[in-house]
Amino acid sequence: MDINPEIIGFIAGGLSSSLFIPQIIKILKEKSAVEISLVTCIIGVVSSGLWLWYGIIQEHISMMVTNSIAVIATTILIICKLIYNGEKT
């Protein structure tokens, strides 16, 4: 059985892209992002941005889609960090 590499790419990239979503939900519920590292978020957005660029150059749709989602999710996490960086209310 031959599996299309793009399918594997979508599965792997989808899982990686979804890593930050539970954290975003937690921050929004608790109104606190004290425990989040801004440096980690910045590294994440830069890394995903570079993978997105690579996917565009290589014309890999799975890399383009999943890393676009990762850039958006990580950017939202950075915004949440900046908004909710104080103590829990």
Side-chain angles (χ1 to χ4, degrees):
M1 178 158 82
D2 198 21
I3 297 176
N4 183 334
E6 285 295 320
I7 293 172
I8 297 169
F10 271 112
I11 294 169
L15 290 171
S16 296
S17 298
S18 67
L19 282 173
F20 293 113
I21 294 172
Q23 194 65 58
I24 292 168
I25 293 168
K26 182 177 187 283
I27 291 169
L28 294 174
K29 281 183 181 177
E30 296 180 0
K31 307 272 191 256
S32 176
V34 175
E35 70 279 359
I36 302 298
S37 166
L38 186 59
V39 173
T40 300
C41 294
I42 292 169
I43 291 169
V45 80
V46 170
S47 173
S48 296
L50 290 172
W51 277 114
L52 172 58
W53 186 14
Y54 179 79
I56 292 168
I57 292 168
Q58 295 295 317
E59 299 180 357
H60 286 282
I61 190 73
S62 62
M63 293 182 89
M64 289 186 266
V65 171
T66 58
N67 284 293
S68 294
I69 294 167
V71 167
I72 292 167
T74 312
T75 301
I76 291 170
L77 191 58
I78 290 170
I79 292 167
C80 288
K81 172 65 176 175
L82 296 174
I83 292 171
Y84 298 114
N85 199 34
E87 294 297 319
K88 291 181 183 180
T89 56

